[in-house]
């Protein structure tokens, strides 16, 4: 064990986070996200929800300050009758770690989100999150 490392962060995830550099991205997927289809590397964290993983990761690395929106959400598909209260939770968590708070966020089309994950994410973290549209991409900043 190490001091200061959130216990939810596995050795495998810690290694990946440490290897990531400035502008590298990671995706945290909800329980429905097709991580093995779009991820170059996948780490499973099935017993956990996105909020607790998001909070733990943000204790270890900063968000990119050189871009306007270092956090990306998967937008709700038009016609989908779905509410996304979990996004408010994400904004509270990000505000604890980054003074820009909700200004860090952008929302993109579902299919763009998949493409961005496939093209840019170093890792996809698969969770047991049950909330719909709970997927999030983080862009790492300078430590």
């Amino acid at each position: 064990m190490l001091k200061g490392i959130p216990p939810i962060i596995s050795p495998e995830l810690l290694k990946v986070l440490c290897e990531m550099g400035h502008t590298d991205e990671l995706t945290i997927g909800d329980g429905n996200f097709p991580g093995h289809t779009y991820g170059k590397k996948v780490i499973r964290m099935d017993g956990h929800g996105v909020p607790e993983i998001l909070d733990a990761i943000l204790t270890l690395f900063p968000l990119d300050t050189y871009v306007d929106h270092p956090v990306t959400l998967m937008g709700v598909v038009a016609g989908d009758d779905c509410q996304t209260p979990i996004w408010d939770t994400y904004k509270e968590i990000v505000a604890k770690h980054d003074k820009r708070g909700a200004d860090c966020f952008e929302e993109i089309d579902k299919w763009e989100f998949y493409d961005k994950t496939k093209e840019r994410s170093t890792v996809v973290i698969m969770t047991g999150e049950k909330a719909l549209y709970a997927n999030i991409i983080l862009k790492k900043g300078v430590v």
Side-chain angles (χ1 to χ4, degrees), residues 13-95:
L13 179 54
L14 185 61
K15 178 181 185 295
V16 171
L17 296 176
C18 186
E19 291 173 341
M20 289 175 67
H22 176 231
T23 75
D24 282 345
E25 297 181 2
L26 67 80
T27 298
I28 307 172
D30 62 30
N32 291 298
F33 190 78
H36 291 280
T37 299
Y38 293 102
K40 297 173 192 133
K41 177 172 183 57
V42 175
I43 295 177
R44 300 210 59 103
M45 297 182 74
D46 296 278
H48 302 284
V50 174
E52 61 186 317
I53 295 167
L54 174 63
D55 190 41
I57 288 171
L58 291 178
T59 65
L60 299 176
F61 78 63
L63 295 171
D64 193 344
T65 57
Y66 295 98
V67 297
D68 290 332
H69 306 291
V71 181
T72 303
L73 298 171
M74 177 188 282
V76 177
V77 173
D80 232 353
D81 184 24
C82 179
Q83 301 299 312
T84 55
I86 198 164
W87 291 2
D88 294 330
T89 302
Y90 295 170
K91 290 173 183 170
E92 291 171 11
I93 293 167
V94 167

